Amino acid sequence: MRKKNTYILLVAVCLYACGGNRAIISPKQVNPYQYTVQKKATGTHGAVVSAHPLASEAGLAILKLGGNAIDAAITTQLTLAVVYPAAGNIGGGGFLVAHLADGKDVTLDYREKAPGAATRDMYLDANGNAITALSVNGHLASGVPGTVAGLFAAAKYSKLPFRKLIQPAIDLAEKGFVITADEASDLNRSREAFIKYNTVTPAFVKASPWKAGDTLVQKDLANTLKRIRDNGQAGFYEGETARLIVAEMQRGKGIITYDDLKSYAARDRQPSIFDYKGYKVVTMPLPSSGGVLLPQMMKMIEDKPIKSYGFQTVQSVQLMTEVERRAYADRAKFLGDVDFYKVPIKTLTSDAYAKQRMKDYDPNKAGSSTAVQAGIVPESEETTHLSVYDSQGNAVAVTTTLNGGYGSKTVVGGAGFLLNNEMDDFSVKPGVPNMYGAVGGDANAIVPGKRMLSSMTPTIVLKNGKPYLVVGTPGGTTITTSVFQTLVNILEFDMNADDAVNKPKFHHQWLPDEVMVERDFPQAVREKLQQMGYKITVRGAIGRTEVIRVLPDGSFEAVGDKRGDDHAAGY
Ligand code: DON
């Protein structure tokens, strides 16, 4: 059933070398000292796709133990917090979109919040200039973490006891696992930052450079996970863990307090749901910008014959670029946390608005971001995604983040986990771009307790009321356009999941006014777009998309992106 990837990423470390120190989650399924990356899985029972083989396989083991897709998503997230510290986290936040077997759609918001002592101008100097380094690195960059509250909010839909779901993560943190070549080079690249932004040397710093096959042990993290296992949400937001976070803040001049932690709550949101040519698309609402931008973009192409244009022809790329430009112009002006700012969601996502927004679209020439501003509305690089499906009909899409790779680079001393640098997702000053080049204003200004705007767009597409696609990706502002392109690839260009994930991607976000393309984006299309007046910028990988596609006979194809260690597990 499984199609093994042709390359083996990791060195197999022999049993003797492991000194009998093996933490096997489930016999034969997960060996943290010897594993390979698998890009595709097929089957009929269930699937987990995530950024790391150990996390996908831990999730799959939970499905095999009788857990449902929510159980598997909880275990996969917790495992990622151990084996993929660049983005997997308990010190960050995320969104969960689920379609449950009983027909209910669920969207959980466990995005970080600005601490109570945050102020609108906290990243400005005396002359009003933005000091963006402060919102990106170190103690002041961190919002109040939401992930652990999110896991417990999800647990009310799970089947197995939480202590079972968290145990694989505890074992991997306590006994260690071998790291991949990618992880080794990422850790080496961040070495100086880990030294600079920590008050206690974290497990990520060692005397000699990391290499593939080295074992990473995280004892402090294991103890934090045990406190969560034993005390639930309070094991993180109160007691010893909260005390360690506050002590870390005091040593590093951060502002998160015990009250900020104790009062954090995940939120059940109303899902953003829209119809696209008979498919029901369920996605994350604000504070995910995806909940507004994805319906906007899909509606702007819906009445165009994009299928006849073909995949990555000049015509289809130009249309999608112009659609992206318009949606992102609106993002900058209108989008923010609805608990703090009135966002005209209904209008922005309406069919009529999409039509009106495309009135000035010219298929023969490049648009301009000076000419295309936000619409007039009359009403007042690190994140990670996982997709899970089970044969009972539950589907779960989770995107979770520390924001940048290893977040703020600050590890909570004695607690062993990284804090996010999500405060940079606020607009620190109108017009000043954040680390993804996104600009904003009042709608996304810093206010104590407010959630910063996100691009994370975990999405489920239903066909005849049943899960058809489970999709999502990291990638900062490119997230929403990657999800958009993946949906268009499958729903319009009839691609299979492999191609929809792995074919080159492109991105336009209004400002800067350029089309970013991956290196393997077709040269001829690039040149023709340039002739039309587009500025093209070639950049590194766009996203790491994880897709599960359920076929009419009930079987599925699960695909992990070629762009990383992403791994599809299924049976
Ligand atoms: O929530 C957001 O939109 C960002 N913090 C996501 C960051 C991200 O995807 C980085 N990954 N490559």
Side-chain angles (χ1 to χ4, degrees):
M1 294 285 258
R2 288 175 170 193
K3 195 173 119 197
K4 280 270 174 205
N5 194 295
T6 43
Y7 65 90
I8 293 180
L9 202 132
L10 266 188
V11 192
V13 179
C14 81
L15 254 175
Y16 297 111
C18 301
N21 189 22
R22 303 176 84 214
I24 296 178
I25 292 157
S26 176
K28 293 197 196 119
Q29 282 155 10
V30 191
N31 175 353
Y33 304 107
Q34 182 179 2
Y35 55 93
T36 55
V37 172
Q38 173 176 279
K39 291 297 175 191
K40 183 163 185 185
T42 54
T44 53
H45 294 92
V48 182
V49 197
S50 82
H52 198 284
L54 291 172
S56 299
E57 294 292 344
L60 187 71
I62 289 294
L63 287 180
K64 288 183 176 174
L65 269 179
N68 63 19
I70 298 271
D71 292 288
I74 291 172
T75 292
T76 306
Q77 274 183 93
L78 283 160
T79 307
L80 283 168
V82 178
V83 300
Y84 186 44
N89 67 81
I90 53 172
F95 299 135
L96 177 146
V97 175
H99 175 80
L100 304 178
D102 65 6
K104 187 173 159 65
D105 297 313
V106 174
T107 42
L108 297 179
D109 162 6
Y110 42 103
R111 182 72 164 161
E112 299 91 329
K113 283 167 58 159
T119 59
R120 186 181 169 112
D121 296 339
M122 65 188 279
Y123 301 111
L124 303 186
D125 66 15
N127 300 319
N129 298 317
I131 330 170
T132 42
L134 287 181
S135 64
V136 172
N137 291 312
H139 298 69
L140 214 50
S142 187
V144 183
T147 295
V148 174
L151 294 170
F152 284 97
K156 64 174 182 270
Y157 304 106
S158 66
K159 268 170 82 179
L160 301 179
F162 192 82
R163 54 174 42 246
K164 263 210 164 91
L165 304 180
I166 198 172
Q167 198 57 41
I170 294 174
D171 289 344
L172 286 161
E174 190 156 52
K175 297 168 187 165
F177 63 97
V178 296
I179 61 168
T180 64
D182 277 0
E183 191 67 59
S185 65
D186 288 349
L187 286 170
N188 291 335
R189 210 174 314 118
S190 295
R191 186 173 196 280
E192 294 313 311
F194 287 138
I195 292 168
K196 185 167 174 190
Y197 297 111
N198 280 289
T199 58
V200 177
T201 308
F204 306 128
V205 176
K206 73 178 181 75
S208 56
W210 291 97
K211 55 186 186 325
D214 282 350
T215 300
L216 175 62
V217 175
Q218 300 169 83
K219 296 271 187 214
D220 288 343
L221 176 58
N223 288 332
T224 299
L225 292 169
K226 284 180 192 170
R227 286 192 291 274
I228 297 170
R229 177 194 63 194
D230 297 340
N231 303 309
Q233 190 163 325
F236 184 88
Y237 292 99
E238 297 175 48
E240 178 66 0
T241 312
R243 189 191 66 72
L244 289 167
I245 297 172
V246 174
E248 181 62 55
M249 286 291 137
Q250 283 162 357
R251 285 193 299 275
K253 300 199 174 66
I255 56 172
I256 296 175
T257 62
Y258 197 86
D259 277 352
D260 286 330
L261 293 164
K262 200 169 172 202
S263 62
Y264 184 88
R267 299 282 301 273
D268 252 302
R269 299 278 180 193
Q270 275 298 322
S272 165
I273 295 179
F274 63 97
D275 174 87
Y276 185 78
K277 298 189 176 173
Y279 294 95
K280 178 179 165 189
V281 184
V282 184
T283 192
M284 190 69 209
L286 287 164
S288 163
S289 54
V292 174
L293 264 51
L294 191 61
Q296 264 193 328
M297 294 192 290
M298 296 296 286
K299 282 169 194 237
M300 284 191 250
I301 63 161
E302 195 167 15
D303 63 353
K304 306 271 184 292
I306 189 165
K307 187 176 180 139
S308 71
Y309 296 166
F311 171 69
Q312 274 176 15
T313 57
V314 176
Q315 273 174 307
S316 66
V317 173
Q318 196 254 353
L319 169 64
M320 289 167 81
T321 297
E322 290 305 325
V323 159
E324 291 173 6
R325 180 200 305 282
R326 284 160 177 76
Y328 276 76
D330 284 350
R331 181 193 198 276
K333 170 140 190 200
F334 295 117
L335 304 193
D337 182 346
V338 286
D339 294 343
F340 289 78
Y341 191 87
K342 191 162 167 36
V343 181
I345 302 174
K346 259 208 168 117
T347 304
L348 291 172
T349 56
S350 71
D351 294 345
Y353 182 73
K355 268 214 157 62
Q356 180 223 316
R357 211 66 183 104
M358 289 299 276
K359 270 205 169 126
D360 58 354
Y361 164 65
D362 181 345
N364 299 310
K365 78 174 218 276
S368 118
S369 294
T370 318
V372 174
Q373 295 289 321
I376 310 289
V377 175
E379 289 178 53
S380 48
E381 249 173 79
E382 190 73 26
T383 301
T384 191
H385 176 83
L386 57 111
S387 293
V388 188
Y389 169 72
D390 70 35
S391 56
Q392 295 131 61
N394 299 295
V396 183
V398 172
T399 314
T400 177
T401 188
L402 288 168
N403 197 16
Y406 306 106
S408 63
K409 313 286 195 302
T410 297
V411 174
V412 176
F417 63 88
L418 281 155
L419 288 167
N420 63 83
N421 57 346
E422 222 72 62
M423 290 298 283
D424 192 62
D425 271 348
F426 278 119
S427 169
V428 302
K429 184 182 175 182
V432 171
N434 73 1
M435 59 192 274
Y436 302 102
V439 289
D442 273 356
N444 191 31
I446 303 172
V447 179
K450 184 175 173 183
R451 283 152 150 93
M452 54 295 283
L453 185 63
S454 174
S455 297
M456 296 186 290
T457 311
T459 297
I460 295 172
V461 178
L462 306 172
K463 193 177 185 172
N464 304 322
K466 298 266 181 275
Y468 173 52
L469 298 172
V470 190
V471 188
T473 180
T477 43
T478 68
I479 291 174
T480 321
T481 50
S482 292
V483 171
F484 171 51
Q485 285 166 63
T486 307
L487 295 195
V488 174
N489 286 348
I490 294 175
L491 303 182
E492 289 288 358
F493 300 132
D494 298 326
M495 271 184 204
N496 60 26
D498 294 70
D499 284 347
V501 166
N502 292 318
K503 293 272 185 194
K505 298 221 159 56
F506 62 93
H507 172 71
H508 194 292
Q509 60 177 45
W510 182 54
L511 293 178
D513 190 350
E514 61 191 24
V515 188
M516 299 170 209
V517 300
E518 288 187 305
R519 274 177 232 297
D520 52 348
F521 187 87
Q523 181 67 28
V525 179
R526 209 189 286 177
E527 282 165 13
K528 283 198 190 119
L529 289 168
Q530 268 162 338
Q531 285 158 17
M532 288 176 83
Y534 287 97
K535 179 173 177 223
I536 309 284
T537 315
V538 179
R539 54 159 281 171
I542 297 184
R544 286 169 63 171
T545 305
E546 324 287 22
V547 167
I548 299 172
R549 176 171 175 239
V550 184
L551 304 168
D553 65 0
S555 66
F556 59 77
E557 46 174 13
V559 174
D561 201 311
K562 68 173 184 185
R563 296 168 179 85
D565 291 337
D566 306 55
H567 178 100
Y571 75 118

